Amino acid sequence: MSAFTASFKERADAALADPILKIAVERTAGTAEAKRGIAVAAFPNFEAARTRAAAIKDHVIAHLGAYLEQFEAQAIAAGAKVHWASTADEACRIVIDICKATGARSVARSKSMLGEEIGLPHALAEAGIGRVETDLAEHIIQLADERPSHIIWPAMHKTREQVSALFKAKHRLPHQEETIAAMAESARRELRTQMLGADVGISGANFLIADTGAVCTVTNEGNAELSLVPPRVHIVTAGIEKIVPSMPHAIHMLRMLARSATGAALTQYTTFYTGPKRAGDRDGPEEMHIVLVDNGRTKMREEGLAEMLRCIRCGACMNHCVVFRQIGGHAYGGTYPGPMGAVLTPVLDGLPQSRDLAHACTLNGKCQEVCPVRIPLPTLLKGWREKSWREGLEPTSMRWGLGIWAWVATRPRLYRLGTGFAVRAMQMLGKRGWIGALPLAGGWTRHRDMPKPAPQTFMAQYRKAQRK
Amino acid sequence: MTQEVALFVTCLVDLMRPRIGFAAIRALEAAGCDVVVPEGQTCCGQPALNSGDRAHAVALAKQTIAALEPYDAVVVPSGSCAGTIRCHYPEIFAGDAAWLPRAQAVADKTWEIMAYLDQVRGWKPQGVTVEAKATYHDSCSGLRELGIKAQPRRLLRGIDGLRFTPMEGEETCCGFGGTFCVKYPAISNAIVGEKADAIDATGADLLLAGDLGCLMNMAGKLHRKGSKVRAYHAIELIAGMGDGPAIGEEG
Ligand code: SF4
């Protein structure tokens, strides 16, 4: 089923009906949850570190313009070219123009959620430019012709058994085994040759360092380094909120990122790229371009979503989300899944298209509890619900149902009458203590029984007892 | 010191399980409180607030504040409703100079019942015996908005004969989520299905929690799958009313 044609509910139902998906999501998210727990427990005063991480981001977001200008000046001084894009289309156009000016036929891409956000894979295909995804998980979904389902593990929805079958079918030298080592070896064989032939390397950025103009990427496979150093041109696409003032700030954020994402103390490969190859350097790209992308971010700051700009894309919120754990990332339908995706997708796709995501949450608060930069995700989701209500996007049944209920509930005497009647009516529906099918509450009784209420409400019983 | 304590009953307790309200009164009186049940109360407005219906949430919050402000303290047998009054009322009226002080005053004196008995009154049940093995679910709002974790366990440890067996994922949401369970019944069912399995796996006789909504969700699933685990609001046991019918039992 296409992620775009169906509704959230249909996508979620399809996901729930897929037992393999459930196994795959549980394996990865369950492991991440356990490992994060251990890493956080071993971190001296993690709570204070979270507060500091949030403060660093808040400070930058409050002074975004100044830090971006500083970054631009430093990056230019280091020899890079800096471009500004206010929309996704503009960002793609800038990248394609650079590729064309280079005469590129193929690009090696290191995983970047911003690239997905702006639709870069699609734009490259339209421009006739070949693309190699060099991150292992991105390679898997490129072979399967799918989209990422998680921001850290794009192929989290696939089991290793499924990946093995895919490699057997699609790799030029098919491998035979289902062991992880054999699969990794097969991917390495396949990717290395393609990577080394690329004309342009494209990456995202985990952090932009304002005072040096450096761009930081982290990967667990070293694929960023392999994709960005050999080609003649390196293009970075980065959201403007990725900025941090200086290296010590970046280090603090890196510590929070790795632990929150995978429970590791560090990501295997962390690289800072400052400008292109200099005279005397033995390797490195001849040109470095940095495309700074807004795509709704400035608007978020103005519209009460500034806290969301703290997000460092660690994925902890989705790994710990009961809803995500049941339906996986594709059900969310956007680039970003889970709690952070439910907040971001309405910014990117519009609220009318994605209002149901804000409701796909029990408001249990676990995401906020684990977010390393303390984003109040449930509050932001409730903000979307309110906006949706104000703009009349909520279904009529909901508006009327709640409206009538609230009208009665603000009239206590009428309310007592109504509740008294309701519990008496429910008496007639139950067998023993339970109701197996309750009119208007089919959503409840399809899957579970409803306890039958007492014959009289508390208020009625209490009043009677008082009178005696 | 006797305190005049207003019991906010919550709409679910009022409608679905009045026993919890009576258990709350009994425990509060045993702890030396003068309990009043203010007439003007209905619902704290949480369903409207969480649905984005600001206007109705404000109307219900004003009604609730007016009903509760004359008393020394407000006690609620639900972490999520207590959390709404304590944490969200001040937010709702943040820009309202007339109502904010009133909302804040009510928020400051509102307590979830087990937190109130344990933290404020330093009280423990006396002479209550329940011979059973119990497991406890930490409901989300109480746990994360009000820090309710140790209080119910301390109170329950005062009951003779009650033994504990923790379930896997005792802090994991049960999938109720107020209107979530009717908006997305299939997802909610998948979540509560796992919860019910975790509860069953403990071999406990009793499931205890501090929020009726979550309890109805879990008990309803346990009953549908034929489990023998019986569910109670923890305050029922604490008040010595654990010999009555469990949720969904005819009594
Ligand atoms: S919202 Fe918080 S937990 Fe979720 S991805 Fe962003 S930083 Fe991580």
Side-chain angles (χ1 to χ4, degrees):
Chain A
M1 182 168 12
S2 153
F4 299 106
T5 52
S7 70
F8 170 75
K9 206 172 197 141
E10 288 168 309
R11 293 190 301 263
D13 284 345
L16 288 169
D18 181 351
I20 294 185
L21 173 71
K22 173 77 195 160
I23 294 169
V25 171
E26 208 48 49
R27 265 187 201 163
T28 312
T31 312
E33 179 179 13
K35 284 199 184 159
R36 177 199 169 273
I38 296 166
V40 163
F43 193 103
N45 209 347
F46 191 69
E47 290 311 307
R50 289 174 75 207
T51 304
R52 171 148 186 254
I56 291 172
K57 292 293 292 198
D58 279 351
H59 170 81
V60 166
I61 292 155
H63 304 94
L64 197 53
Y67 280 114
L68 284 168
E69 277 169 29
Q70 188 188 10
F71 173 81
E72 180 184 36
Q74 293 302 318
I76 291 171
K81 294 202 172 70
V82 178
H83 311 257
W84 300 81
S86 56
T87 63
D89 285 347
E90 208 180 318
C92 287
R93 205 171 344 107
I94 293 168
V95 174
I96 303 287
D97 286 349
I98 299 166
C99 290
K100 285 191 172 151
T102 314
R105 273 160 325 188
S106 74
V107 304
R109 210 170 74 101
S110 165
K111 177 171 134 358
S112 144
M113 288 311 296
L114 182 87
E116 297 294 328
E117 176 191 315
I118 60 177
L120 190 54
H122 180 74
L124 288 167
E126 279 209 327
I129 299 169
R131 167 176 65 99
V132 195
E133 293 294 341
T134 64
D135 174 83
L136 178 58
E138 289 280 344
H139 169 61
I140 292 166
I141 59 170
Q142 186 176 25
L143 287 184
D145 196 18
E146 289 172 7
R147 303 183 66 227
S149 70
H150 190 286
I151 61 174
I152 300 285
W153 301 281
M156 150 195 259
H157 56 287
K158 290 207 164 325
T159 61
R160 62 172 159 273
E161 294 79 4
Q162 289 174 322
V163 172
S164 178
L166 191 66
F167 283 4
K168 276 178 194 162
K170 300 269 171 112
H171 280 175
R172 283 167 301 182
L173 294 169
H175 82 124
Q176 298 307 330
E177 292 171 64
E178 274 184 12
T179 66
I180 292 175
M183 284 190 273
E185 192 46 51
S186 180
R188 191 172 286 131
R189 271 199 307 270
E190 182 79 17
L191 284 175
R192 288 252 162 115
T193 48
Q194 294 189 52
M195 256 189 234
L196 294 175
D199 305 308
V200 172
I202 302 182
S203 73
N206 290 89
F207 302 100
L208 304 171
I209 324 288
D211 68 352
T212 60
V215 173
C216 171
T217 67
V218 297
T219 69
N220 276 317
E221 297 152 24
N223 64 296
E225 292 73 4
L226 276 175
S227 337
L228 307 178
V229 177
R232 218 163 53 67
V233 176
H234 174 191
I235 307 174
V236 180
T237 56
I240 52 175
E241 86 288 6
K242 292 278 172 179
I243 205 126
V244 290
S246 69
M247 188 64 113
H249 299 99
I251 299 295
H252 184 76
M253 302 312 284
L254 280 166
R255 298 178 78 200
M256 303 305 283
L257 174 65
R259 283 176 177 82
S260 302
T262 61
L266 264 183
T267 311
Q268 264 90 327
Y269 297 87
T270 303
T271 304
F272 296 83
Y273 305 85
T274 315
K277 179 177 179 173
R278 268 161 290 230
D281 283 354
R282 298 190 46 187
D283 51 22
E286 285 156 29
E287 282 175 37
M288 182 182 188
H289 296 265
I290 302 166
V291 188
L292 298 170
V293 184
D294 185 324
N295 201 29
R297 286 161 174 77
T298 317
K299 211 176 71 201
M300 282 168 67
R301 204 169 57 156
E302 289 152 12
E303 290 184 353
L305 289 168
E307 287 152 318
M308 197 60 218
L309 291 171
R310 289 183 202 151
C311 178
I312 55 171
R313 309 288 192 257
C314 72
C317 54
M318 54 199 78
N319 295 339
H320 290 76
C321 171
V322 281
V323 175
F324 181 93
R325 290 276 276 261
Q326 294 298 338
I327 61 177
H330 281 156
Y332 289 83
T335 303
Y336 303 102
M340 56 82 88
V343 176
L344 283 174
T345 304
V347 178
L348 299 168
D349 295 0
L351 188 57
Q353 286 73 41
S354 55
R355 57 154 283 281
D356 40 5
L357 293 183
H359 292 281
C361 166
T362 66
L363 300 178
N364 66 71
K366 184 74 191 178
C367 49
Q368 179 174 353
E369 184 185 290
V370 297
C371 176
V373 285
R374 296 193 189 278
I375 299 176
L377 294 155
T379 307
L380 300 180
L381 286 173
K382 282 197 279 181
W384 280 128
R385 292 182 186 185
E386 229 177 83
K387 183 150 199 255
S388 175
W389 190 281
R390 261 198 328 268
E391 295 183 354
L393 302 171
E394 295 298 301
T396 326
S397 58
M398 192 71 193
R399 302 182 71 84
W400 276 87
L402 256 176
I404 293 168
W405 165 82
W407 190 82
V408 179
T410 41
R411 288 162 179 79
R413 279 147 167 277
L414 186 66
Y415 182 79
R416 307 267 175 261
L417 264 176
T419 48
F421 175 76
V423 294
R424 275 196 302 282
M426 280 169 84
Q427 289 305 305
M428 295 185 286
L429 297 164
K431 262 204 312 248
R432 315 276 287 274
W434 295 94
I435 301 169
L438 187 63
L440 303 176
W444 180 285
T445 49
R446 196 176 316 137
H447 304 290
R448 69 215 108 178
D449 296 321
M450 173 71 86
K452 200 163 88 176
Q456 274 194 320
T457 63
F458 173 86
M459 283 302 197
Q461 293 185 37
Y462 178 77
R463 240 194 275 172
K464 220 190 276 170
Q466 291 295 91
R467 257 187 259 124
K468 266 187 232 153
Chain B
M1 170 193 57
T2 316
Q3 275 213 311
E4 204 176 28
V5 170
L7 181 68
F8 185 76
V9 183
T10 89
C11 52
L12 270 188
V13 168
D14 180 30
L15 252 132
M16 299 303 293
R17 195 162 167 85
R19 284 179 57 81
I20 296 170
F22 290 107
I25 294 176
R26 205 160 144 177
L28 286 167
E29 286 180 349
C33 306
D34 245 349
V35 186
V36 186
V37 181
E39 272 291 327
Q41 62 171 296
T42 60
C43 165
C44 66
Q46 191 188 150
L49 186 65
N50 288 352
S51 299
D53 181 358
R54 186 91 177 179
H56 283 128
V58 166
L60 282 161
K62 284 183 176 171
Q63 169 177 290
T64 306
I65 291 166
L68 300 177
E69 57 194 349
Y71 306 94
D72 297 324
V74 176
V75 174
V76 191
S78 153
S80 96
C81 307
T84 297
I85 299 174
R86 256 192 103 110
C87 308
H88 301 301
Y89 277 14
E91 281 166 25
I92 296 178
F93 295 108
D96 186 330
W99 278 89
L100 181 59
R102 297 175 68 180
Q104 192 64 57
V106 169
D108 291 343
K109 63 181 177 190
T110 295
W111 296 87
E112 188 275 337
I113 186 154
M114 293 185 283
Y116 183 73
L117 290 170
D118 177 73
Q119 273 171 262
V120 182
R121 309 297 296 195
W123 178 81
K124 261 194 185 27
Q126 305 259 310
V128 180
T129 305
V130 178
E131 283 296 341
K133 198 154 90 166
T135 193
Y136 197 91
H137 165 77
D138 296 286
S139 295
C140 304
S141 309
L143 176 70
R144 302 200 177 90
E145 289 182 348
L146 305 175
I148 292 167
K149 176 85 190 177
Q151 305 91 324
R153 288 171 174 78
R154 266 198 297 266
L155 289 169
L156 289 162
R157 269 205 298 275
I159 296 175
D160 296 324
L162 197 66
R163 284 154 295 140
F164 277 95
T165 164
M167 70 177 88
E168 169 116 19
E170 58 188 4
E171 291 189 2
T172 304
C173 175
C174 73
F176 172 62
T179 51
F180 174 81
C181 65
V182 286
K183 275 184 290 199
Y184 294 115
I187 304 174
S188 174
N189 173 51
I191 299 170
V192 74
E194 282 180 14
K195 195 82 200 178
D197 292 345
I199 294 164
D200 259 338
T202 61
D205 312 301
L206 306 180
L207 165 66
L208 304 177
D211 271 88
L212 181 55
C214 317
L215 278 162
M216 283 168 55
N217 183 39
M218 293 181 288
K221 189 67 194 176
L222 286 165
H223 186 256
R224 181 63 64 91
K225 77 185 270 252
S227 163
K228 293 276 176 295
V229 179
R230 305 164 71 218
Y232 288 92
H233 192 295
I235 199 65
E236 296 180 70
L237 268 71
I238 290 165
M241 287 168 64
D243 50 356
I247 291 173
E249 285 174 1
E250 204 100 70

